[in-house]
């Protein structure tokens, strides 16, 4: 692969392949394994007709991609967003393979997406779209095959509809087909907060590594959805001063620290920050270059790019979102001495507790939130130490180290299993 020819600024799949190639070369990965790991095992595109509330029919496009199911069932969220593309879903599926391997949970990587604007759909339309999409991908998913979860634009309610649709088809209640379900349906304590809580843990560890005291640090969080809102709360609980948080329309900024009680109360009842008046309005672009110690991109891909990386002032970036930093931006930031904790570790709290949920569903035995959080912290902190150990030994970035750890674990499984002919 010629890395210079990849379009890494705009295409998340090519950005993922860039990072893969850097780590694979460091590992001197076998050429055959290289080929296996750079293409998805399986992918499907489905058409989803939905009867709209005005009586018209609309057909939506959906995808499910399984990047690898060698280490266990595919695992990965379902994204409902107008910006979904097949390359984005492929990248997200591969990132799930690496993420599950970094935290060493027995899953492969998969991802799904539907091109739609969930906020503009009625509840009935959203339910029909979810159920029809589930029916269309039903042969691919299952507790032993591929286990979806929430991602951008989806939530526990959507998971409940998927679980019910799948269960009706297989003629028995099958909670283990999805994770991120409501508690009443076999969801796990701690799952909704897990990704943001994990981002908090990983920020704490990153700051310690850089010799910084969380209580003396300021931070800005891009995104106030599931990941952004809980990350901001977790950082506040650690003693960091959260000076900015954003939604897709822009950010709220208060250099003295946002009133996190007011932010939390507002986000409990609203999807975004509109109507909340506890800081100055700035743009998402301005948030990225704020003079803060810690930057948490927790919204979407490619927000730290070659165009703004030189202006980033944060000393530590912890990637709550998947793929927020482009490879060119990362090179610029590394030269400035910025520590970047990569997505495949930083936001792995979600899939780790998804794993706990799947285990609990299979056992029929449920844990309390303290148990979940203790186990989550142990896995994430151990993984952080492992990744940093590789980074130090090989003198590579934390991202390359995380990819090296993941590629090594996934290829070991392919070697042991052999190639079925
Ligand atoms: P969400 O839909 O709950 O929230 C997304 C947030 O980002 C919203 O506040 C939205 O307004 C904002 N946003 C969307 N597009 C934006 C843009 N172009 N610029 C600025 N802000 C924008 O989604 P989420 O579940 O919080 O996921 C956020 C990111 O975290 C995604 O990259 C997702 O893949 C990743 N992630 C999520 C989980 C999880 O458990 N939900 C786990 C791991 C990684």
């Amino acid at each position: 692969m010629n890395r210079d020819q990849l379009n890494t600024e705009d295409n998340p799949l090519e950005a993922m392949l860039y990072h893969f190639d850097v780590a694979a070369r460091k590992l001197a990965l076998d050429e055959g394994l290289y080929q296996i790991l750079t293409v998805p095992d399986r992918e499907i595109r489905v058409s989803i007709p939905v009867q709209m509330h005005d009586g018209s029919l609309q057909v939506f496009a959906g995808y499910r991609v399984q990047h690898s199911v060698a280490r266990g069932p595919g695992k990965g969220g379902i994204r409902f967003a107008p910006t979904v593309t097949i390359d984005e879903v492929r990248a997200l599926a591969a990132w799930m393979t690496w993420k599950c391997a970094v935290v060493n949970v027995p899953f492969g990587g998969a991802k799904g997406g539907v091109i739609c604007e969930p906020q503009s759909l009625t509840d009935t339309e959203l339910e029909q779209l979810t159920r029809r999409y589930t029916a269309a991908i039903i042969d691919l998913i299952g507790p032993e095959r591929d286990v979806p979860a929430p991602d951008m634009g989806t939530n526990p309610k959507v998971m409940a509809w998927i679980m019910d649709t799948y269960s009706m088809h297989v003629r028995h209640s099958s909670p283990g087909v999805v994770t991120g379900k409501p508690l009443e349906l076999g969801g796990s304590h701690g799952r909704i907060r897990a990704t943001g809580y994990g981002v908090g843990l990983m920020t704490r560890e990153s700051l310690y590594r850089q010799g910084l005291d969380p209580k003396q640090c300021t931070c800005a969080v891009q995104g106030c959805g599931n990941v952004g809102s809980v990350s901001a709360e977790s950082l506040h609980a650690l003693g960091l001063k959260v000076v900015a948080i954003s939604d897709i329309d822009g950010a709220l900024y208060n250099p003295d620290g946002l009133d996190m009680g007011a932010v939390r109360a507002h986000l409990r009842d609203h999807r975004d920050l509109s109507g909340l008046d506890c800081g100055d309005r700035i743009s998402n672009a301005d948030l990225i270059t704020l003079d803060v110690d810690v930057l948490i991109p927790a919204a979407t891909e490619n927000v730290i790019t070659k165009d703004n990386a030189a202006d980033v002032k944060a000393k530590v970036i912890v990637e709550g979102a998947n793929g927020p930093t482009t490879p060119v931006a990362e090179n610029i930031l590394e030269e400035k001495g910025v520590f970047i904790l990569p997505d495949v570790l930083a936001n792995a709290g979600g899939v780790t507790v998804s794993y706990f949920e799947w285990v609990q569903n299979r056992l029929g035995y449920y844990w309390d939130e303290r148990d979940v959080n203790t186990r989550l912290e142990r896995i994430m902190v151990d993984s952080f130490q492992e990744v940093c150990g590789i980074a130090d030994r090989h003198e590579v970035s934390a991202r390359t180290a995380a990819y090296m750890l993941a590629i090594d674990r996934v290829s070991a499984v392919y070697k042991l299993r052999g190639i079925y002919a």
Side-chain angles (χ1 to χ4, degrees):
M1 177 184 307
N2 183 348
R3 290 206 292 262
D4 296 336
Q5 285 176 359
L6 294 171
N7 171 16
T8 56
E9 283 294 298
D10 304 312
N11 185 318
L13 178 64
E14 300 197 13
M16 187 285 296
L17 288 170
Y18 179 99
H19 296 308
F20 175 88
D21 187 69
V22 173
R25 284 176 196 232
K26 273 270 168 203
L27 289 168
L29 183 70
D30 170 86
E31 179 56 30
L33 283 169
Y34 189 108
Q35 283 181 45
I36 289 176
L37 295 177
T38 45
V39 288
D41 274 0
R42 190 188 284 188
E43 53 187 45
I44 184 173
R45 181 200 181 280
V46 296
S47 292
I48 311 158
V50 175
Q51 181 101 53
M52 307 302 280
H53 70 282
D54 63 1
S56 66
L57 262 182
Q58 203 170 319
V59 181
F60 297 87
Y63 306 100
R64 185 77 187 166
V65 174
Q66 294 173 346
H67 171 260
S68 169
V69 290
R71 296 182 80 248
K75 188 86 197 79
I78 293 175
R79 179 171 289 195
F80 285 177
T83 48
V84 165
T85 64
I86 182 63
D87 272 359
E88 181 187 56
V89 182
R90 287 174 180 145
L92 289 161
W95 280 323
M96 287 307 297
T97 303
W98 314 136
K99 197 176 299 183
C100 292
V102 167
V103 288
N104 213 2
V105 296
F107 288 125
K111 203 80 180 192
V114 177
I115 305 170
C116 66
E117 179 90 62
Q119 292 84 354
S120 66
L121 297 174
T122 66
D123 243 29
T124 312
E125 289 164 350
L126 192 63
E127 177 172 352
Q128 283 188 24
L129 176 116
T130 303
R131 289 186 182 278
R132 186 64 189 249
Y133 170 66
T134 308
I137 62 166
I138 207 142
D139 292 334
L140 264 65
I141 61 172
E144 308 291 338
R145 294 181 176 186
D146 180 354
V147 185
D151 190 75
M152 262 171 85
T154 54
N155 54 30
K157 192 162 74 175
V158 172
M159 296 306 115
W161 291 328
I162 297 176
M163 180 266 189
D164 181 68
T165 307
Y166 181 84
S167 297
M168 297 307 289
H169 277 255
V170 297
R171 299 286 189 261
H172 62 88
S173 196
S174 179
V177 66
V178 283
T179 57
K181 299 177 291 294
L183 279 181
E184 297 83 345
L185 296 183
S188 175
H189 284 290
R191 173 59 186 92
I192 289 183
R193 298 179 59 79
T195 309
Y197 181 69
V199 168
L201 295 172
M202 293 296 90
T203 305
R204 182 191 73 194
E205 296 302 309
S206 301
L207 290 175
Y208 289 164
R209 182 176 162 86
Q210 298 304 102
L212 295 166
D213 175 3
K215 293 196 169 55
Q216 304 296 322
C217 289
T218 54
C219 72
V221 181
Q222 184 181 54
C224 63
N226 178 290
V227 182
S229 63
V230 183
S231 297
E233 278 182 38
S234 304
L235 297 173
H236 178 66
L238 281 170
L240 284 96
K241 194 192 280 180
V242 182
V243 298
I245 190 165
S246 73
D247 61 24
I248 193 166
D249 297 318
L252 271 182
Y253 172 55
N254 182 344
D256 298 324
L258 293 168
D259 176 350
M260 284 306 295
V263 172
R264 189 182 312 119
H266 182 87
L267 289 175
R268 230 187 344 251
D269 303 326
H270 304 83
R271 284 202 190 111
D272 56 32
L273 299 169
S274 55
L276 180 61
D277 187 20
C278 64
D280 298 332
R281 280 271 159 195
I282 60 169
S283 68
N284 265 296
D286 291 339
L287 178 143
I288 297 290
T289 57
L290 278 178
D291 189 2
V292 286
D293 299 300
V294 180
L295 177 62
I296 312 282
T300 189
E301 296 103 54
N302 301 345
V303 293
I304 306 173
T305 65
K306 65 175 168 42
D307 298 326
N308 62 5
D311 298 324
V312 168
K313 294 171 194 74
K315 303 179 187 84
V316 168
I317 297 176
V318 179
E319 294 185 333
N322 287 307
T325 315
T326 68
V328 178
E330 177 153 18
N331 291 338
I332 297 170
L333 291 163
E334 262 181 17
E335 281 194 8
K336 286 168 42 140
V338 179
F339 179 75
I340 304 176
L341 195 72
D343 45 12
V344 291
L345 173 57
N347 67 36
V351 77
T352 304
V353 177
S354 276
Y355 165 57
F356 297 161
E357 181 172 332
W358 180 76
V359 168
Q360 292 170 77
N361 292 153
R362 285 152 65 101
L363 286 176
Y365 175 70
Y366 289 84
W367 314 340
D368 62 26
E369 185 152 358
R370 202 180 41 188
D371 259 0
V372 168
N373 286 342
T374 307
R375 290 171 202 254
L376 171 64
E377 180 163 358
R378 196 172 62 223
I379 290 184
M380 292 209 69
V381 173
D382 286 354
S383 305
F384 181 91
Q385 300 297 352
E386 252 177 313
V387 166
C388 290
I390 296 171
D392 292 342
R393 274 197 305 285
H394 293 269
E395 297 182 351
V396 294
S397 67
R399 188 183 316 276
T400 300
Y403 272 68
M404 286 168 72
L405 177 63
I407 293 169
D408 210 30
R409 284 191 172 141
V410 178
S411 13
V413 168
Y414 278 98
K415 283 183 201 153
L416 286 166
R417 289 180 60 156
I419 303 297
Y420 174 76

